[in-house]
Each structure stands twice: as structure tokens, then as C-alpha cells.
Amino acid sequence: GIQVEQSPPDLILQEGANSTLRCNFSDSVNNLQWFHQNPWGQLINLFYIPSGTKQNGRLSATTVATERYSLLYISSSQTTDSGVYFCAVDRRGSIQGAQKLVFGQGTRLTINP
Amino acid sequence: DGGITQSPKYLFRKEGQNVTLSCEQNLNHDAMYWYRQDPGQGLRLIYYSQIVNDFQKGDIAEGYSVSREKKESFPLTVTSAQKNPTAFYLCASTTRHGYTFGSGTRLTVV
């Protein structure tokens, strides 16, 4: 099955710093999503980004599908950005209407004040 | 407000017991999913359902069962056949453009 690798596994930064999180995947995908899991376990969908670049405030993401990677950028980090960031992909050929996501292991981001 | 409600937030199970986790959504989404998360790990797919009265096994379905009698509801039963059920369970539903997750149920075997 498809493999999803995220790096780095852990990242500790001071408030105000910028960061780049990477997601590599081993096969063609027709869907890629980035999620943020807060310390209480809630998962929030950040981006649906099978290709191209999107921006939402201080966060932006780029997926280069032909090279099988995606990057999540966080600028001017705040303590509320702390948590685990997951990349997840939907395998090519998935049944129409169902998005069977395969998740990476996550990057744990800690923003210190 | 539209969303997904999971209950209970915390659940303790004795060995040999079956327990059922509730998942309800008012988003009018067709597809619903159950994922399991172990400490320090990503999520793994247990079961998913595209429409009422239909569901499919995911990657780790052994020891679990589901039903989909209503569009809004997708309960998960953790049976006694699941050897290591202690985990965080997340329910989700989707549109074409992304997932919405519930807040999760933490199941502990005592």
C-alpha cells in the first residue's frame, strides 16, 4: 500500500518563527489533505490540496504531485499553532465518493512563548 | 451548528465486553468513517460507509463492527475479539473537498 512519510517528527520553535513541514508519498494520489490535531485530540482540516498552492492566513501549502511531496508553511508562529500536523492521502482508484485516507505519522510542533 | 458528535468522550471497558461508540452528524454527508489512533501514531481506517445500509472494511477491521441504518448515524462496536482496543477513536464524514472529524472517544480497557 501507499506510504506517507512526514518530516521532521518533532519541531520546537519560538513564537514568531517560521516553519516548513514536509510530506512525501510513495504513489500517485488523487487527494491530499493537511490536518492539525490540537492537544485535546480534535482534528481540523487545514487544506484540501491534491496539487498547486493554497494560502489561508499565516498558513500555506504546496503540493507537487509529479514529485510526490507536499509542504505546509507556517509563518509568524503562535503558541496556539502547537499540536500535531498530519498529512493524509487518498489512493488513486479509490471508490467513487469514498476518500480512504492514509495518514502519515505526523509532525509534533511546539511553539514556546 | 453543523458538525459531528461523538459520545461518550471517555469509555472504560472490561475485558470480554462489547462496547458501542456513537457517531452522529447533521452535515447531510453521505460518506462516514471510523479511524483508530494509537499514542504517537497517525490514524488508521477501521470501517467506512458511502451510503445507508452499506459499509466496507478498512485496513484494521478485525474485532470491530458497524451499522449504517440512518444517514446521520454510524455507530462502531468494539467486540471482545479486538485484542488491543485501548485507543483514541475518531469518526469523520466527508464532502469531495475534505473531512470533518468528531472530537473523539478515548477507550480504555480495565
Side-chain angles (χ1 to χ4, degrees), chain A residues 31 33 35 37 39-43 45 48 86 91 95-106 108, chain B residues 31 33 35 37 40-43 45 48 50 56-57 59 88 90 94-103 106:
Chain A
N31 181 356
Q33 297 181 37
F35 298 89
Q37 187 170 39
W40 298 271
Q42 180 71 52
L43 271 161
N45 191 329
Y48 169 86
F86 288 104
R91 290 163 282 194
I95 296 170
Q96 185 71 23
Q99 299 172 31
K100 296 163 55 181
L101 291 179
V102 176
F103 282 74
Q105 300 282 63
R108 181 173 298 277
Chain B
Y33 309 77
Y35 283 87
Q37 185 178 28
Q41 302 295 312
L43 280 66
L45 182 64
Y48 65 99
Q50 296 184 86
Q56 304 295 327
K57 293 182 179 180
D59 299 318
F88 187 46
L90 287 151
T94 58
T95 64
R96 287 183 59 196
H97 298 293
Y99 268 55
T100 300
F101 278 93
S103 56
R106 293 192 185 276

Side-chain angles (χ1 to χ4, degrees), chain A:
Chain A
I2 193 168
Q3 304 295 315
V4 182
E5 294 184 0
Q6 292 186 241
S7 60
D10 293 279
L11 188 57
I12 301 174
L13 299 171
Q14 292 297 122
E15 200 167 23
N18 301 329
S19 58
T20 301
L21 283 57
R22 186 177 180 100
C23 171
N24 293 331
F25 43 96
S26 62
D27 201 351
S28 299
V29 298
N30 58 19
N31 181 356
L32 186 144
Q33 297 181 37
W34 283 97
F35 298 89
H36 174 223
Q37 187 170 39
N38 67 23
W40 298 271
Q42 180 71 52
L43 271 161
I44 302 298
N45 191 329
L46 299 175
F47 292 103
Y48 169 86
I49 186 165
S51 63
T53 298
K54 290 187 177 180
Q55 181 158 6
N56 184 4
R58 295 181 297 103
L59 274 61
S60 64
T62 295
T63 297
V64 184
T66 54
E67 298 186 21
R68 300 182 184 169
Y69 74 88
S70 183
L71 302 173
L72 178 69
Y73 305 97
I74 305 173
S75 64
S76 305
S77 298
Q78 301 175 359
T79 56
T80 52
D81 294 330
S82 295
V84 182
Y85 289 81
F86 288 104
C87 167
V89 301
D90 179 15
R91 290 163 282 194
R92 182 169 292 277
S94 293
I95 296 170
Q96 185 71 23
Q99 299 172 31
K100 296 163 55 181
L101 291 179
V102 176
F103 282 74
Q105 300 282 63
T107 292
R108 181 173 298 277
L109 177 64
T110 303
I111 305 298
N112 291 321

